[in-house]
Amino acid sequence: MKYAYYNSCSLRSTGREYHQSLMRVFDKLEIELEEPKKWVCCGSTLAHNSSVLLAETLPLKNLAEIEKMGLDEVVVPCTACYNRFKVAQYEDDEDRRVKKEIEEIIEHKFEKEIGVFHPLEILAREDNLAKLKSLVVRDLSHLKVVSYYGCLLVRPHKETGFLDNPEYPMTMDKILSAVGIKTIDWSHKVECCGGSLSITRPDIVLDLTSRILNDARSVGANAVAVPCTFCQLNLDVRQEDLAKKGVRYDLPIYYFTELVALAIGVPEKDLMLGKHFVESEQVLTRAV
Amino acid sequence: MTETQVVLEYELLPGHISELAGNIKAMHGVDANMCYQCGKCTSGCPLNEYMDMTPTQVIHAVRLGLKDIVLNSNTYWLCVACGTCTGRCPQDTGLLMVMDALANIAIKEGIKPREPAVAEFYRTGLNLVKRYGMMYEAGVAGLLSLKTGTLGRDFGLGLRMLKKGKLEVIPHSQNADEMKKIFQRVAKKEQELAGS
Ligand code: SF4
Ligand code: SF4
């Protein structure tokens, strides 16, 4: 099995651990990933505010590169990119005129629609879930994890079409429990963490993140799993600021791929858990 | 600033569409007139308590054509595009796109942003993307802190990120020449579309 892989800006900087753990998991599943060489930034949160046309052109330029590789499905781990790709495809389908304009700009005529998938959607496929189950070697059943999906993946659902319920998704919970990790029911699964205001309005972001962390704590979680580089960074780095205000959480924020990787026997030293701000190795040690 | 034209609600005739709502519909394909003011968008909006006008008020004001009031609010700048409003709206108004449209219009018309740091963040970030073909986080953060005078506040965070190897000090280029070309072509196309 082979997919194109959109290894975008944040996976090369703030979210390097996500990329690293994802590669190891897909490797174990014997799924091949290939990066398009001539990719460009998809514009993520920046473009749509200033130009609709630009916001749609950039993702489609990347999809064109994937079609040129001869592949028809792409794995997009960054939820902001995933969201932009899906919205651009949706808008493009709705508005034939813009489609023509964009095809002119990027000098490519689409033959077919490229399937855009988040790694959660791929790992939750029955055959992959079964394979993951069979690969488990490490007992992590002492962890009590809340799955935090955030907003960009699930909304607007009409556009993203994420293969799950947008108000109460279960995909990540299913994947984690397939590898023997318990997930807990909670109410902030899809609440926004305010990631895009992170450096401009940290005051607001502290409020939003503390609401999410409070709920995680109140249901007794000892870890949070996320599928998004913005959520990971935001929930992770802000805990130090919240501690300064007198509220300590000490809740490690893992990429779901890190937890899966650990459970299926990827050695800790091959992951980059040390890059997390909140200590995230000790909580694992109870089960070696 | 042009004088605000107040349209009384009872004067709205079936089929009436304000100039602002009309522009937004033409440009972004969303119809503010569909809104029946149920308030569901506001009740789910994570930012509503920080906003000058609630999302429900914004869409109503758009419908009434109260352009100055809406464009001079902080609401569309604080909108984080989380999609809660749009996902839950029973009338499919596409409020998220209305927020986008307002930022588009405000930028084009040179409206002084009520959240200057947020507006500057988008501007600086997009310029760097245009230049390097990919995002350059340290660059945006640095430039932004300089421009908005928050260097002191942001310095600690930057340092923490650097220590963890989370920030690239030097920007990478990714297909930058082609990216510049795309930006130019999009700008040209937009002019053509605006003229047609
Ligand atoms: S949820 Fe939709 S219909 Fe209800 S007030 Fe908001 S925009 Fe209007
Ligand atoms: S998309 Fe914007 S307006 Fe809508 S709920 Fe989210 S923050 Fe509020």
Side-chain angles (χ1 to χ4, degrees):
Chain A
M1 192 72 216
K2 183 171 168 181
Y3 298 102
Y5 178 60
Y6 187 65
N7 177 15
S8 49
C9 313
S10 63
L11 278 102
R12 293 168 193 263
S13 53
T14 46
R16 221 174 278 156
E17 342 50 305
Y18 189 16
H19 168 72
Q20 173 82 0
S21 52
L22 185 139
M23 292 308 274
R24 301 306 302 264
V25 171
F26 275 69
D27 212 32
K28 288 245 178 196
L29 288 171
E30 290 165 343
I31 301 173
E32 212 187 314
L33 299 173
E34 188 185 333
E35 294 179 20
K37 286 192 187 60
K38 295 182 76 184
W39 68 278
V40 290
C41 167
C42 73
S44 78
T45 45
L46 301 165
H48 62 98
N49 259 300
S50 60
S51 160
V52 202
L53 189 60
L54 184 65
E56 280 176 42
T57 302
L58 295 177
L60 293 173
K61 156 76 186 160
N62 288 301
L63 292 176
E65 291 303 318
I66 288 156
E67 190 168 83
K68 284 184 212 159
M69 292 162 74
L71 294 171
D72 48 22
E73 288 183 319
V74 59
V75 179
V76 185
C78 167
T79 55
C81 301
Y82 173 87
N83 185 292
R84 294 321 307 173
F85 276 55
K86 285 296 192 77
V87 171
Q89 274 185 331
Y90 179 86
E91 302 278 324
D92 207 40
D93 269 355
E94 295 274 291
D95 191 341
R96 292 282 147 198
R97 188 178 71 139
V98 181
K99 188 182 181 90
K100 210 180 114 264
E101 310 286 2
I102 294 178
E103 288 188 335
E104 259 176 56
I105 294 173
I106 60 174
E107 295 174 321
H108 178 84
K109 207 169 155 29
F110 284 99
E111 302 285 332
K112 53 181 185 280
E113 180 150 314
I114 306 284
V116 176
F117 297 100
H118 189 270
L120 280 175
E121 293 173 303
I122 307 264
L123 297 189
R125 289 179 184 171
E126 286 306 327
D127 48 339
N128 288 333
L129 275 185
K131 192 146 187 205
L132 282 176
K133 246 184 217 151
S134 73
L135 289 171
V136 177
V137 291
R138 183 169 175 182
D139 179 16
L140 290 170
S141 58
H142 70 291
L143 291 178
K144 283 177 280 173
V145 178
V146 284
S147 304
Y148 175 67
Y149 297 76
C151 45
L152 292 166
L153 208 51
V154 292
R155 286 188 302 252
H157 199 243
K158 196 172 73 178
E159 278 88 340
T160 74
F162 180 64
L163 301 171
D164 205 341
N165 184 315
E167 293 289 351
Y168 202 82
M170 281 302 286
T171 317
M172 201 181 341
D173 300 73
K174 261 194 226 149
I175 295 168
L176 292 174
S177 58
V179 296
I181 296 171
K182 272 196 274 325
T183 60
I184 314 176
D185 184 31
W186 70 314
S187 62
H188 280 56
K189 277 189 167 180
V190 296
E191 219 39 61
C192 173
C193 74
S196 62
L197 294 174
S198 195
I199 47 175
T200 49
R201 287 297 303 267
D203 54 326
I204 296 181
V205 170
L206 281 185
D207 285 357
L208 299 189
T209 45
S210 65
R211 280 179 211 165
I212 294 162
L213 296 168
N214 281 345
D215 193 49
R217 193 167 61 178
S218 72
V219 295
N222 58 13
V224 182
V226 298
C228 163
T229 45
F230 298 97
C231 302
Q232 198 287 332
L233 182 62
N234 208 18
L235 292 178
D236 193 12
V237 78
R238 291 295 165 195
Q239 286 187 50
E240 194 176 314
D241 303 309
L242 291 163
K244 275 186 205 137
K245 291 179 144 194
V247 205
R248 285 200 76 87
Y249 294 96
D250 292 326
L251 271 173
I253 315 292
Y254 299 101
Y255 288 106
F256 75 100
T257 42
E258 291 175 323
L259 292 175
V260 173
L262 288 164
I264 61 176
V266 175
E268 256 175 75
K269 64 169 175 42
D270 289 1
L271 300 173
M272 298 173 157
L273 298 176
K275 278 193 174 295
H276 294 188
F277 291 95
V278 176
E279 209 290 316
S280 33
E281 285 148 306
Q282 272 165 24
V283 61
L284 301 167
T285 53
R286 269 221 286 141
V288 179
Chain B
M1 225 185 266
T2 51
E3 201 164 297
T4 302
Q5 282 286 313
V6 180
V7 181
L8 296 175
E9 197 167 356
Y10 54 79
E11 285 178 357
L12 286 177
L13 298 168
H16 165 92
I17 179 159
S18 74
E19 197 185 324
L20 181 57
N23 286 343
I24 292 175
K25 190 171 179 188
M27 216 183 354
H28 299 254
V30 287
D31 191 351
N33 272 11
M34 293 297 287
C35 172
Y36 58 40
Q37 291 288 294
C38 68
K40 214 173 166 186
C41 46
T42 298
S43 67
C45 175
L47 275 311
N48 79 61
E49 66 199 85
Y50 310 97
M51 289 169 165
D52 294 338
M53 296 171 83
T54 66
T56 312
Q57 287 169 336
V58 163
I59 196 156
H60 197 50
V62 166
R63 193 177 172 209
L64 297 175
L66 306 178
K67 191 170 164 183
D68 287 344
I69 295 179
V70 186
L71 289 184
N72 286 300
S73 75
N74 70 355
T75 305
Y76 59 96
W77 289 118
L78 286 188
C79 168
V80 289
C82 74
T84 313
C85 53
T86 305
R88 292 178 185 168
C89 173
Q91 284 294 86
D92 215 1
T93 62
L95 188 45
L96 161 63
M97 288 298 278
V98 173
M99 297 291 177
D100 258 9
L102 292 170
N104 282 203
I105 295 170
I107 292 170
K108 283 204 187 80
E109 300 198 356
I111 306 278
K112 192 162 165 269
R114 281 268 289 109
E115 290 288 332
V118 179
E120 189 57 45
F121 170 71
Y122 291 132
R123 216 177 62 88
T124 312
L126 202 57
N127 272 333
L128 288 169
V129 165
K130 178 175 168 185
R131 183 141 155 220
Y132 297 112
M134 70 184 272
M135 189 53 179
Y136 171 38
E137 280 110 342
V140 191
L143 283 173
L144 189 74
S145 312
L146 278 176
K147 283 185 190 162
T148 56
T150 51
L151 203 57
R153 184 193 73 193
D154 302 335
F155 188 69
L157 179 64
L159 211 59
R160 274 192 275 161
M161 301 265 295
L162 274 176
K163 272 198 200 136
K164 286 283 177 190
K166 294 233 170 208
L167 280 185
E168 295 288 335
V169 189
I170 297 165
H172 290 275
S173 261
Q174 171 59 33
N175 211 1
D177 291 340
E178 201 171 352
M179 189 65 144
K180 264 175 227 129
K181 227 188 285 164
I182 294 175
F183 268 76
Q184 277 158 9
R185 288 193 182 147
V186 167
K188 196 165 148 240
K189 195 59 92 186
E190 275 189 329
Q191 271 170 359
E192 281 170 31
L193 290 177
S196 69

